[in-house]
Amino acid sequence: LALWCGGNEQRPARDLDAALAAMLGHGGAPKGGETEPCLDATRLYVPGSLWSGFASGDGTFSDGPYGIQQPANFFSEDFYAFGFNPEVGSVGVPEAA
């Protein structure tokens, strides 16, 4: 597990986002003078897969490509304009006839 994400291609409602962030030890507010137990502050929490520095950072994105890709394509510098893409095409495996 590399990071925690509140939503795929969306952000959760504000109250849920705040609760998730607090539970994971990111910006949790003290409750009754004590800090709530932290479930995992060792990994990054982002509200949505296309926000917080992923994609363009403001929800602007373009999914895909959806077609079958050559494995080398995933490693080329111009494959995807942003650092994270929640949906890309699969790798095709040829079938022997």
Side-chain angles (χ1 to χ4, degrees):
L1 180 65
L3 58 90
W4 293 102
C5 187
N8 179 32
E9 299 183 10
Q10 61 188 353
R11 297 180 91 147
R14 287 184 188 163
D15 57 340
L16 293 175
D17 185 43
L20 285 168
M23 286 176 20
L24 295 169
H26 299 275
K31 184 176 183 179
E34 297 181 22
T35 304
E36 288 291 309
C38 171
L39 298 178
D40 184 3
T42 64
R43 293 176 181 89
L44 177 67
Y45 171 74
V46 295
S49 61
L50 298 173
W51 284 266
S52 303
F54 293 108
S56 65
D58 63 1
T60 303
F61 67 97
S62 173
D63 282 344
Y66 290 107
I68 292 177
Q69 302 295 308
Q70 295 295 321
N73 291 354
F74 294 101
F75 300 97
S76 69
E77 290 191 24
D78 60 350
F79 178 69
Y80 188 63
F82 307 113
F84 184 77
N85 184 350
E87 297 178 9
V88 294
S90 62
V91 175
V93 179
E95 181 180 328

